[in-house]
Amino acid sequence: MTQTLTFLGLESSCDDTAAAIVRQREGEAAEILSSVVFGQTELHSAFGGVVPEIAARAHAEKLDTCVREALAKAGLSLDDLDAIAVTAGPGLIGGVMSGVMCAKGIAAAKGLPLVGVNHLAGHALTPRLTDGVSYPYLMLLVSGGHCQYLIARGPEDFTRLGGTIDDAPGEAFDKTARLLGLPQPGGPSVEAEARLGDERRYRFPRPLLDRPGCDLSFSGLKTALMRQRDKIVAEKNGLTRQDRADLCAGFQAAVRDTLAEKTRRAVALYLDEQPGAPALAVAGGVAANMAIRGALETVCTETGLRFTAPPLALCTDNAAMIAYAGSELLAAGAEDDMTLAARPRWPLDTQAAPLIGHGRKGAKA
Ligand code: KG4
Ligand code: ZN
């Protein structure tokens, strides 16, 4: 008889409260029955970043509603669940604790298996959920809080090839937008301006290209942009629309070229493994950027890799990826009990040296 397992996933590690139901039928692709995300952007907008205390309280308040909505959308009740998967880190500790406590409560009340999931593993396994990508594959996580290259070999088997030593690219887009008076989130508004600009007018640094390896750095780029903006303002007493568009185009080109070159290097390291069906998957909000996406696709074409990017709703924070990662972990025998603890830091590759500390949107490594 084929086995069917229904997972509830919970996510609350940053500023999105999410619950989702994923069903796994043996030998078939997993199916997302529902995925509910309550964002908190408006709660934090006055503060210029995510306020951990406010986030934790909002998660605690919203989790129940979120679970109820996910069950209702899937047409199920708690009695139909077979297991609970929850983000147990890395992230803002108050939020992660809210999710873990909620998951423990449901698991204890219903006598269900509990699986603690690494949030980054959730992102990194998404291409298997959405595109059936087989191990091993190369993964680029690129968002407002994360930026790293990983080789994924199994649900608990990752090698980090490199990552940002300071800001994540999405953070750099957001800061650039702030510096130029464009609306948040910065990524889409900078991309829209860049389309109207000339990327050759201002040339910004391509950080760390002179160093071997796949580590990245984006904080210097933001400073270079600020200097150029101040120079133009001092010379002309302000910025014209064209100046702003050209600054955005120059900035975006620098991020694009840096990510493309570092990806080329990561691909070379990954191909040493001789994967059967070589693939690069990209996830995170910045993967929505068409210029960056195009550059990554070109690298894949040059190097013979399949390129995949999950749909945007599954690239950004969600609980379907946590439920799915939980299903792979449980199948591999990784089950937790009531001692499951929330972890502010939880590197996917425990052998790799730590990269950086906490950023504006939570723990990055
Ligand atoms: O993955 P995500 O929704 O949240 C986390 O950071 O966890 O990513 C959001 C980030 C923001 O910094 C946003 O500015 C950036 O992704 N982003 C973009 C674009 N759309 C969103 N960056 C560049 N170009 C875009 N089109
Ligand atoms: Zn995330």
Side-chain angles (χ1 to χ4, degrees):
M1 206 180 80
T2 57
Q3 199 186 22
T4 300
L5 292 176
T6 305
F7 284 77
L8 167 67
L10 299 179
E11 158 61 36
S12 56
S13 64
C14 188
D15 58 351
D16 291 303
T17 314
I21 314 282
V22 168
R23 180 164 281 170
Q24 180 80 68
R25 241 183 222 109
E26 208 179 329
E28 287 182 26
E31 188 189 355
I32 301 170
L33 301 187
S34 64
S35 180
V36 177
V37 181
F38 289 152
Q40 301 179 351
T41 313
E42 69 290 355
L43 293 180
H44 304 287
S45 61
F47 305 97
V50 177
V51 184
E53 269 307 310
I54 295 175
R57 215 165 305 142
H59 287 305
E61 278 167 16
K62 282 277 190 254
L63 271 159
D64 285 8
T65 321
C66 212
V67 169
R68 252 184 237 116
E69 211 169 288
L71 285 166
K73 282 198 169 149
L76 300 176
S77 77
L78 286 176
D79 295 326
D80 299 309
L81 300 176
D82 296 300
I84 318 276
V86 60
T87 300
L92 301 172
I93 192 67
V96 181
M97 280 168 70
S98 305
V100 169
M101 295 310 290
C102 176
K104 281 184 183 175
I106 300 172
K110 293 288 167 188
L112 295 172
L114 174 70
V115 189
V117 174
N118 182 313
H119 175 84
L120 300 174
H123 280 300
L125 297 183
T126 304
R128 291 177 52 72
L129 167 66
T130 55
D131 295 270
V133 175
S134 51
Y135 294 122
Y137 56 92
L138 180 63
M139 181 77 211
L140 169 59
L141 284 184
V142 69
S143 70
H146 324 293
C147 183
Q148 48 186 297
Y149 291 103
L150 297 160
I151 297 180
R153 297 191 191 85
E156 290 185 287
D157 188 357
F158 299 96
T159 300
R160 196 185 66 218
L161 301 175
T164 183
I165 58 168
D166 42 54
D167 291 353
E171 218 172 333
F173 270 95
D174 294 342
K175 285 178 182 167
T176 294
R178 225 165 281 134
L179 287 169
L180 298 178
L182 295 166
Q184 295 293 320
S189 37
V190 170
E191 182 177 16
E193 284 294 313
R195 248 181 250 126
L196 311 171
D198 174 4
E199 67 175 64
R200 289 161 307 176
R201 180 158 163 223
Y202 303 113
R203 184 166 167 91
F204 293 110
R206 272 64 175 157
L208 297 194
L209 285 195
D210 53 342
R211 263 197 244 169
C214 318
D215 283 345
L216 302 116
S217 160
F218 293 101
S219 71
L221 186 53
K222 165 203 72 197
T223 311
L225 180 114
M226 188 169 67
R227 285 218 188 94
Q228 188 60 58
R229 178 204 65 175
D230 291 348
K231 198 166 155 236
I232 304 169
V233 170
E235 280 165 9
K236 300 205 260 184
N237 231 353
L239 288 180
T240 64
R241 179 84 203 265
Q242 195 57 50
D243 294 335
R244 196 163 72 172
D246 293 343
L247 284 169
C248 286
F251 164 83
Q252 182 175 275
V255 178
R256 177 199 67 202
D257 291 352
T258 307
L259 283 171
E261 176 53 26
K262 294 288 175 171
T263 301
R264 239 173 245 121
R265 296 182 193 180
V267 166
L269 292 169
Y270 159 69
L271 286 177
D272 284 346
E273 297 226 340
Q274 301 184 312
L280 167 73
V282 57
V286 180
N289 185 289
M290 294 316 285
I292 292 171
R293 217 180 159 106
L296 297 175
E297 277 192 90
T298 304
V299 173
C300 285
T301 310
E302 285 165 12
T303 49
L305 265 66
R306 171 182 171 198
F307 176 79
T308 61
L312 199 57
L314 295 172
C315 268
T316 53
D317 286 353
N318 67 88
M321 68 180 191
I322 302 303
Y324 175 75
S327 76
E328 280 212 28
L329 285 164
L330 196 67
E335 189 181 329
D336 288 288
D337 58 24
M338 289 298 147
T339 62
L340 175 67
R343 299 172 64 171
R345 283 171 180 275
W346 187 358
L348 270 183
D349 178 356
T350 46
Q351 306 298 310
L355 276 171
I356 36 167
H358 287 236
R360 183 177 58 81
K361 297 196 86 188
K364 295 174 192 168

